[in-house]
Amino acid sequence: MKLTYIYKIKPSPEQVTVMETWILMLRRHYNYALGQRFDWLRLTRCQIDRCSLVSEPTLGYSRQVSWL
């Protein structure tokens, strides 16, 4: 007895174009946000004996989502 079903997507050529466009935009947005985090880490990096004792704000996923 089969308990699950497997469906295969068969998009039309127009749907394929739309899906590829969305994937491209999502990939660019993710890479841009990741680059922002790397730039922030590079700019705020300090030597271990010279870091401030006051907590610095972090640039993470949750902060970037709030900016959207």
Side-chain angles (χ1 to χ4, degrees):
M1 179 168 65
K2 221 176 188 185
L3 298 177
T4 60
Y5 296 99
I6 299 174
Y7 297 99
K8 199 166 196 176
I9 296 175
K10 296 178 184 175
S12 67
E14 297 86 23
Q15 291 171 327
V16 169
T17 304
V18 170
M19 285 189 251
E20 287 175 349
T21 303
W22 274 96
I23 289 172
L24 178 68
M25 287 191 305
L26 290 170
R27 184 179 339 126
R28 286 181 179 175
H29 180 74
Y30 176 82
N31 287 336
Y32 179 76
L34 187 62
Q36 277 185 331
R37 283 185 246 158
F38 280 140
D39 289 342
W40 180 84
L41 285 172
R42 185 178 44 80
L43 292 173
T44 59
R45 185 174 295 160
C46 62
Q47 293 180 358
I48 193 70
D49 62 340
R50 296 190 187 132
C51 287
S52 86
L53 297 176
V54 179
S55 175
E56 295 179 2
T58 60
L59 177 65
Y61 175 77
S62 58
R63 179 168 283 190
Q64 286 180 327
V65 167
S66 69
W67 287 344
L68 291 176

